[in-house]
């Protein structure tokens, strides 16, 4: 399998995106549960059928470009494939020296965000990106080795990983998280996401409250014709809650705030969001109230 992935990584990005679009449709047609989840999640957000059809192909492109990003030409400088919008916000945050938290939804090419940050800013302040290790040993090893590069470290979704990110922020470095990822039981709260309760991680906002780090949002828009990506960096549209009646109320307010900010990003280009992601999954022994 690894040899096949290495072979794929050497194909042109245009070819991979074309094959990925087909792959996305094959996955959609071949799995009734995936098809139903895509429709239900997209309907909650009010997507048109045309937007939903576009999202099917984009999901396949995401999967097909990963070997290219990990092992192919983009394992060398990726900045030549990227245009930045809002890079000055990162400059200002790093200059402040309080640490930086970058939040990215399952949207566009989120793998590009970490690589592009590492190339442009990693020499000043490295990034530590949270990830959930794959179950298959060979894929887990591939992820760990392919993602390791100057200015970029990874932290597993575990207590050790949380400590690693805390240390990074206290040094003034940067961490990156996907806050719409369903957290393990006990590490989230139920908060609205496109009008439906979703189990939402509290880690990002806890780290922000404990360290006083700067919060920015970032996502990588995949351009048509394999022209690369546009990296969109923005500040939140509203301030993050800092006080509440008690800790539970504060975590609920912060989780709702994060979900609203993710919704705002997703609405910028809804066809590039992974609507097939099991966002409303219920962790074991954790039920909405």
């Amino acid at each position: 399998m690894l040899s096949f992935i290495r072979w794929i990584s050497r194909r042109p990005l245009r070819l991979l995106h074309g094959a990925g679009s087909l792959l996305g449709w094959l996955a959609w047609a071949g799995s009734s549960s995936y098809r139903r989840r895509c429709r239900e999640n997209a309907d909650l957000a009010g997507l048109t059928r045309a937007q939903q059809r576009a999202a099917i192909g984009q999901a396949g492109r995401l999967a097909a470009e990963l070997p290219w990003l990990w092992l192919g030409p983009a394992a060398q400088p990726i900045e030549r494939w990227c245009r930045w919008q809002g890079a000055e916000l990162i400059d200002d945050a790093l200059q402040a020296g309080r640490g930086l938290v970058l939040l990215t939804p399952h949207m566009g090419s989120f793998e590009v965000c970490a690589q592009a940050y590492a190339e442009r800013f990693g020499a000043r302040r490295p990034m530590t990106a949270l990830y959930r290790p794959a179950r298959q040993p060979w894929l887990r090893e591939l992820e760990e080795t392919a993602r390791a590069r100057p200015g970029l470290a990874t932290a597993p979704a575990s207590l050790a990983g949380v400590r690693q990110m805390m240390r990074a922020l206290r040094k003034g470095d940067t961490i990156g998280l996907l806050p719409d990822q369903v957290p393990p039981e006990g590490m989230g709260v139920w908060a609205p996401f496109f009008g439906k309760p979703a189990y939402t991680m509290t880690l990002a906002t806890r780290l922000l409250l404990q360290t006083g780090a700067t919060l920015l949002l970032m996502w990588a828009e995949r351009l048509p014709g394999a022209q690369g990506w546009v990296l969109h960096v923005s500040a939140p549209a509203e301030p993050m809650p800092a006080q509440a009646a008690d800790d539970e109320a504060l975590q609920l307010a912060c989780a709702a705030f994060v979900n609203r900010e993710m919704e705002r990003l997703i609405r910028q280009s809804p066809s590039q969001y992974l609507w097939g992601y099991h966002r409303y999954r219920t962790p074991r022994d954790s039920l909405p109230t």
Side-chain angles (χ1 to χ4, degrees), residues 82-284:
C82 297
R83 301 202 309 267
W84 287 83
Q85 292 186 357
E88 67 279 1
L89 295 174
I90 297 180
D91 272 316
D92 293 343
L94 298 184
Q95 185 66 30
R98 298 194 307 269
L100 171 61
V101 176
L102 285 174
L103 299 186
T104 301
H106 284 82
M107 181 178 180
S109 185
F110 40 88
E111 193 78 27
V112 167
C113 292
Q115 291 188 16
Y117 173 94
E119 288 186 12
R120 181 160 183 160
F121 301 103
R124 291 170 58 188
R125 291 293 183 183
M127 170 187 277
T128 300
L130 184 72
Y131 79 105
R132 182 170 294 172
R135 294 181 180 179
Q136 300 89 341
W138 69 268
L139 182 55
R140 183 167 59 248
E141 182 180 357
L142 172 62
E143 288 178 335
E144 292 172 354
T145 55
R147 285 171 169 159
R149 58 194 67 213
L152 178 60
T154 56
S158 64
L159 182 58
V162 173
R163 290 170 176 164
Q164 182 180 345
M165 289 188 295
M166 178 67 77
R167 288 194 297 269
L169 287 179
R170 293 201 185 282
K171 290 191 298 183
D173 293 343
T174 298
I175 66 169
L177 304 95
L178 277 70
D180 56 341
Q181 187 171 56
V182 179
E185 176 194 348
M187 296 184 65
V189 296
W190 291 93
F193 186 65
F194 289 110
K196 181 178 178 178
Y199 198 62
T200 304
M201 73 163 59
T202 57
L203 174 60
T205 52
R206 283 187 181 276
L207 290 172
L208 285 162
L209 290 170
Q210 291 177 24
T211 65
T214 302
L215 171 62
L216 292 176
L217 315 174
M218 181 177 180
W219 72 282
E221 178 186 3
R222 185 179 300 104
L223 296 174
Q227 298 178 67
W229 297 270
V230 177
L231 296 162
H232 299 272
V233 182
S234 62
E238 58 181 280
M240 188 183 80
Q243 294 180 336
D246 52 38
D247 183 67
E248 181 180 359
L250 180 59
Q251 294 308 314
L252 286 170
C254 287
F257 156 78
V258 168
N259 282 351
R260 287 193 300 272
E261 291 298 327
M262 294 301 101
E263 290 177 15
R264 182 174 65 84
L265 292 188
I266 292 164
R267 292 189 189 283
Q268 294 178 14
S269 184
S271 64
Q272 294 210 14
Y273 188 68
L274 286 183
W275 298 105
Y277 177 63
H278 208 341
R279 180 64 185 92
Y280 300 99
R281 176 171 57 85
T282 301
R284 185 180 304 171

